[in-house]
Amino acid sequence: MPVFLNDTEKALIINGINEKDSLLSTFYQALQERVYERVAWGHLLGPNATTIWWHSAAEYLSDAAMSYALHPTPELAQWLKMETLIIVRKSVYEWVGPEFRDHSEPYTGHLETAHLCWGVSTVYDLAKDAFSASEQQEIRAALQKKGITLCRRWIQKNNHLANWRSILVSGALVSSVVLEDEETLKELLPELELCQQALQDDGSYGESLQYGNYLLLALTFAKEAILRKYPQYVKANSFVTRHSSFVIPKSSIHWFATSMFYAKPLPGWGEEPRARAANFNDSAAIFRPSGDVLLHIAARSENETERGLAKWLFNNYYASSPTQGPHDLATLGMRNDWGFLTLPLLTYPSKSISPEEANLPLTASFSNGNAFMRDAWAGKTIIAINGGSEPLNGLGHLHGDLNSFILVHNNERLLADPGHSCYRNLIHGLESSSQTHNTCTFLIDKESLGLQEDLAKASLLEQKSVYPRRLITPSLQERGTGGEVIRGDKRLICAYDDVVSVVGAEVGKAYGPPIQEFSRFWVLAGSHVLFIIDRITADEPVTTLWNWVVNNRDNKTVWQKENNGLTVKKNDAGMKIFHGGNGTWSFPVYGFLHDAYHPEPNQLGEGHSGDSLLFRFTEKDKSKTRTVVHAIALDAPDSLEQWQLERHKNRYTLKSDTRKWTLQLNDETASSFSMISGHGRQWDVDKKGEIFQLKRSI
């Protein structure tokens, strides 16, 4: 019996195929469609392929193997046999990966090596009878001598913890399971336990949604293989007690669910709705968790709420569009999709539970630094924030985006994150920098600037975004602690009461001298009012630049500069930003917004100049200290004219003809401030030691 499809699952799938409109029938037909399109190509890659073979092999082979296990045909057997043996017979040098990987001897595996392990292993497991006895021996030898050996060599050579380790460990584990190599399996089980410790204790991840999902997808493949073939090792291994479950540690699904915004079509990607999510650091704006990860949680989690949330996410982002492509980079974790495990895992019943039904909080923070404020689930407004992390267990792929945020209103990202493109693009360093995010940068010597274009060339003080990796220490191996990395940011507050939400973070250390403090507070009142309070101090006078990345991805954004602010209209949403300081707005710089990463340049998903409009507000005078307020009104475009900001000393009143909110700074350091509604209700935020507290006083 195959590892990845037991007899019960196969029978349920075969029966489900005949049930019209069932998920099993829908996804079986979608699987057949994608597999036989590839068979018709006659090769692994089709005539319009944009990927190199290493990056599509795992999903193409595993999809075909599952299709064969459910309904073998001669043409599919021939395609599987030909393409698998081509890969199996490639040299060790080629199994190492593409030319941009290190090929120094002795050869060491890379991500692509693990992917080949996944793909070839699933073929050997699910479609073994398509090969002769001698060909099966060839496959076994390649997996052992090329796949497992190269993966193990990387694991032995590298001593840091992040998503890469999980991929290489998973590649070797999946191969060892299907080869019934218990010696390697036993050797790598402690590594699997170690890989889970790259996640934060609350299930979030220090790199990004995209790389957190990639890590979890690798763990899903490995755990499913072990659970199915060697369940005795699940009970024997210590990580069961440490993480309470052999599946995804608690609350990863909470982070996923909270991070999702909405789904709607995106120009260039067809007419089907596509997900949008909080794409901080290196992550796709069209991120959705992998279907196999979601169904693994839905089938295996011991927590009913987590199972239900996972099924809700799957139904929302996959069930309504099972054939949504492209289908060529999902296993690489870049443009996520459902995969070969979806059909078997759909046979395990689970009830969908929405975030609202699960009572997930509208205002929430995670230990990786992500925080979120909503007016309601399925409401009008979402503020997604990055900044305020605890020590990070696994990190990399960071941007200089602390105290940056994404602003969503009426299903439009009005203020957006740039995302990221091909790592070998010249602009990758710029799109990762602080100046291309909704945060602050600083000029040390403003007088040296001349023409307007000099500002774009100036040497800015930005955040550090490259940090040492988390090294694996004896303490980490024994107790699951040690070596965590601190970015220099800390959470000041994450609280809500009724219609008022407050999130705050301090990130001054991320810039280094002369910046001493950069505390930012976001105060959301209902669906239409957002105040941002910035407290910045430095050892010497500096000039602060506030950067605002306005989304123009569909080229439909209309903007207008006003005396002390900016009005932006985009489809059914609009915002009006009022500046409470003393300075000047710049004409926009034309920036990039990327939809999703592609490992090759100039592909679908890579942004273009003008996809974002980067507005900068620059202080007129240097200063060592300042407390500056921005007020943002959110509404339908036709209603923006009604919104005005009135300022009287330290009181900022943002009002329209029907709404009114006042922010009152109770001292110049922003250690105490109040929100007052138009009906006279008052909420106070006060500093208590190193943190702040929110309390309704009237």
Side-chain angles (χ1 to χ4, degrees):
M1 183 174 67
V3 173
F4 290 112
L5 182 69
N6 63 44
D7 292 341
T8 301
E9 291 168 338
K10 183 174 182 179
L12 288 170
I13 293 169
I14 298 302
N15 290 335
I17 291 171
N18 299 318
E19 297 178 16
K20 186 178 180 181
D21 298 328
S22 72
L23 285 180
L24 285 170
S25 175
T26 298
F27 281 89
Y28 174 79
Q29 295 302 326
L31 177 69
Q32 297 298 84
E33 180 180 317
R34 66 165 71 162
V35 165
Y36 280 91
E37 179 184 14
R38 296 162 190 163
V39 170
W41 297 339
H43 302 284
L44 184 71
L45 300 181
N48 299 316
T50 64
T51 62
I52 54 178
W53 68 271
W54 288 273
H55 292 159
S56 296
E59 58 205 89
Y60 287 7
L61 291 181
S62 59
D63 280 349
M66 182 58 71
S67 174
Y68 181 88
L70 292 169
H71 183 65
T73 64
E75 58 266 38
L76 180 54
Q78 178 60 32
W79 185 90
L80 264 174
K81 182 173 182 175
M82 177 177 67
E83 299 306 326
T84 302
L85 291 177
I86 286 174
I87 292 173
V88 163
R89 290 165 180 168
K90 287 183 181 293
S91 66
V92 175
Y93 184 95
E94 291 172 289
W95 271 67
V96 168
E99 287 297 328
F100 58 78
R101 299 298 189 198
D102 180 10
H103 282 73
S104 58
E105 296 189 42
Y107 294 134
T108 301
H110 294 87
L111 299 179
E112 290 81 6
T113 313
H115 283 233
L116 297 184
C117 287
W118 291 337
V120 174
S121 294
T122 53
V123 172
Y124 182 76
D125 177 57
L126 294 166
K128 189 181 300 182
D129 64 5
F131 300 87
S132 67
S134 61
E135 290 166 345
Q136 290 178 29
Q137 185 56 40
E138 273 192 89
I139 296 172
R140 293 179 63 88
L143 287 174
Q144 191 67 253
K145 297 177 181 179
K146 300 173 186 177
I148 293 176
T149 297
L150 290 172
C151 288
R152 288 173 69 181
R153 199 171 287 162
W154 186 98
I155 296 164
Q156 293 160 0
K157 179 180 178 181
N158 290 275
N159 193 37
H160 63 276
L161 189 61
N163 74 81
W164 266 68
R165 194 170 202 88
S166 301
I167 310 309
L168 274 294
V169 167
S170 175
L173 271 173
V174 169
S175 293
S176 68
V177 169
V178 301
L179 293 179
E180 299 181 321
D181 177 3
E182 290 192 59
E183 181 178 347
T184 299
L185 172 63
K186 292 176 183 179
E187 176 189 329
L188 291 176
L189 279 175
E191 286 286 347
L192 182 63
E193 176 183 355
L194 189 64
C195 288
Q196 294 185 121
Q197 296 174 35
L199 295 165
Q200 300 294 105
D201 288 344
D202 61 7
S204 62
Y205 184 56
E207 297 192 71
S208 66
L209 278 174
Q210 177 171 296
Y211 282 98
N213 178 84
Y214 189 27
L215 184 156
L216 293 174
L217 182 63
L219 296 183
T220 295
F221 292 157
K223 290 178 178 184
E224 281 292 331
I226 298 167
L227 277 165
R228 291 161 175 272
K229 181 69 174 178
Y230 297 108
Q232 66 270 28
Y233 291 120
V234 176
K235 297 177 182 179
N237 222 42
S238 64
F239 57 73
V240 175
T241 57
R242 180 172 298 170
H243 291 287
S244 79
S245 171
F246 186 63
V247 292
I248 307 304
K250 182 180 179 182
S251 294
S252 289
I253 198 66
H254 293 191
W255 178 48
F256 281 157
T258 305
S259 299
M260 304 306 295
F261 294 157
Y262 56 83
K264 61 185 292 187
L266 183 64
W269 294 85
E271 298 302 316
E272 285 186 322
R274 289 189 181 268
R276 307 289 200 285
N279 60 318
F280 295 118
N281 299 316
D282 283 352
S283 192
I286 57 172
F287 170 86
R288 55 181 178 172
S290 293
D292 289 359
V293 171
L294 294 175
L295 291 179
H296 173 64
I297 300 171
R300 307 297 190 186
S301 176
E302 297 171 356
N303 183 288
E304 182 181 359
T305 299
E306 290 184 14
R307 293 198 304 271
L309 282 169
K311 190 60 173 295
W312 181 87
L313 285 168
F314 183 86
N315 289 346
N316 258 34
Y317 294 103
Y318 289 98
S320 59
S321 52
T323 60
Q324 185 178 101
H327 304 295
D328 53 2
L329 286 172
T331 310
L332 198 61
M334 304 307 173
R335 301 189 298 201
N336 294 334
D337 201 353
W338 57 275
F340 77 101
L341 284 174
T342 286
L343 279 168
L345 292 175
L346 275 174
T347 63
Y348 297 84
S350 57
K351 177 185 176 183
S352 172
I353 300 175
S354 71
E356 186 172 19
E357 292 169 332
N359 294 317
L360 294 192
L362 297 175
T363 300
S365 66
F366 295 87
S367 61
N368 69 342
N370 293 174
F372 301 86
M373 302 191 294
R374 284 175 159 86
D375 59 335
W377 289 105
K380 292 185 176 182
T381 301
I382 306 170
I383 312 297
I385 297 158
N386 196 38
S389 67
E390 298 175 12
L392 298 173
N393 295 338
L395 79 167
H397 299 100
L398 300 179
H399 291 194
D401 64 351
L402 297 178
N403 274 357
S404 183
F405 67 109
I406 301 168
L407 190 159
V408 177
H409 186 68
N410 287 350
N411 285 355
E412 291 287 351
R413 293 174 298 149
L414 295 174
L415 295 176
D417 187 282
H420 76 118
S421 61
C422 175
Y423 290 128
R424 288 163 287 144
N425 274 351
L426 190 62
I427 65 167
H428 181 62
L430 183 61
E431 70 202 15
S432 305
S433 66
S434 300
Q435 65 176 296
T436 56
H437 291 80
N438 296 297
T439 189
C440 289
T441 50
F442 302 96
L443 289 171
I444 307 302
D445 190 9
K446 182 183 175 186
E447 281 73 22
S448 65
L449 297 178
L451 300 173
Q452 177 186 1
E453 57 267 26
D454 288 343
L455 183 59
K457 304 173 187 175
S459 178
L460 298 173
L461 178 59
E462 302 184 85
Q463 298 169 20
K464 177 182 178 181
S465 60
V466 178
Y467 292 83
R469 293 165 170 170
R470 185 189 182 195
L471 297 181
I472 298 169
T473 63
S475 174
L476 174 60
Q477 290 175 316
E478 293 172 10
R479 298 188 299 275
T481 61
E484 300 92 340
V485 179
I486 299 173
R487 287 195 70 180
D489 57 325
K490 62 180 180 181
R491 172 75 59 234
L492 298 176
I493 185 173
C494 180
Y496 65 99
D497 182 276
D498 199 358
V499 296
V500 173
S501 297
V502 184
V503 170
E506 199 286 308
V507 303
K509 289 182 180 179
Y511 293 89
I515 303 302
Q516 292 298 307
E517 176 189 5
F518 174 22
S519 296
R520 170 168 278 188
F521 299 89
W522 295 260
V523 186
L524 179 66
S527 306
H528 299 278
V529 171
L530 176 67
F531 285 102
I532 300 171
I533 308 166
D534 291 330
R535 174 66 178 176
I536 300 168
T537 65
D539 288 337
E540 60 185 75
V542 297
T543 300
T544 302
L545 286 79
W546 282 268
N547 305 292
W548 306 92
V549 183
V550 173
N551 181 6
N552 188 38
R553 171 63 178 79
D554 58 4
N555 202 32
K556 293 182 179 179
T557 300
V558 177
W559 62 272
Q560 180 180 350
K561 241 179 13 170
E562 300 185 13
N563 292 334
N564 66 335
L566 175 72
T567 298
V568 173
K569 300 178 180 180
K570 180 175 171 58
N571 300 318
D572 295 326
M575 68 176 177
K576 200 170 186 179
I577 304 176
F578 298 89
H579 175 67
N582 181 21
T584 57
W585 285 97
S586 70
F587 196 81
V589 175
Y590 300 113
F592 294 76
L593 282 187
H594 304 294
D595 303 329
Y597 170 81
H598 195 294
E600 301 300 321
N602 196 31
Q603 299 297 328
L604 178 65
E606 184 172 309
H608 302 87
S609 177
D611 281 350
S612 74
L613 306 174
L614 175 53
F615 291 88
R616 294 182 174 126
F617 171 80
T618 307
E619 285 181 317
K620 291 181 180 179
D621 302 305
K622 293 182 181 180
S623 177
K624 285 188 176 182
T625 64
R626 82 277 290 140
T627 299
V628 175
V629 172
H630 290 86
I632 303 180
L634 303 165
D635 215 328
D638 293 343
S639 301
L640 289 179
E641 291 183 4
Q642 301 170 4
W643 287 94
Q644 297 299 327
L645 179 69
E646 296 178 355
R647 179 179 179 182
H648 180 67
K649 295 184 179 179
N650 285 333
R651 289 175 63 92
Y652 301 80
T653 299
L654 188 58
K655 65 179 184 178
S656 70
D657 56 344
T658 59
R659 296 176 177 87
K660 177 182 177 182
W661 283 91
T662 297
L663 170 69
Q664 177 177 289
L665 300 183
N666 299 325
D667 61 39
E668 293 183 358
T669 66
S671 60
S672 176
F673 54 89
S674 302
M675 279 291 286
I676 306 165
S677 74
H679 298 93
R681 292 194 296 168
Q682 181 170 321
W683 290 259
D684 297 325
V685 178
D686 296 298
K687 190 173 184 180
K688 303 291 184 182
E690 294 297 316
I691 62 172
F692 288 72
Q693 294 180 351
L694 170 68
K695 183 178 181 181
R696 193 190 316 184
S697 58
I698 300 177

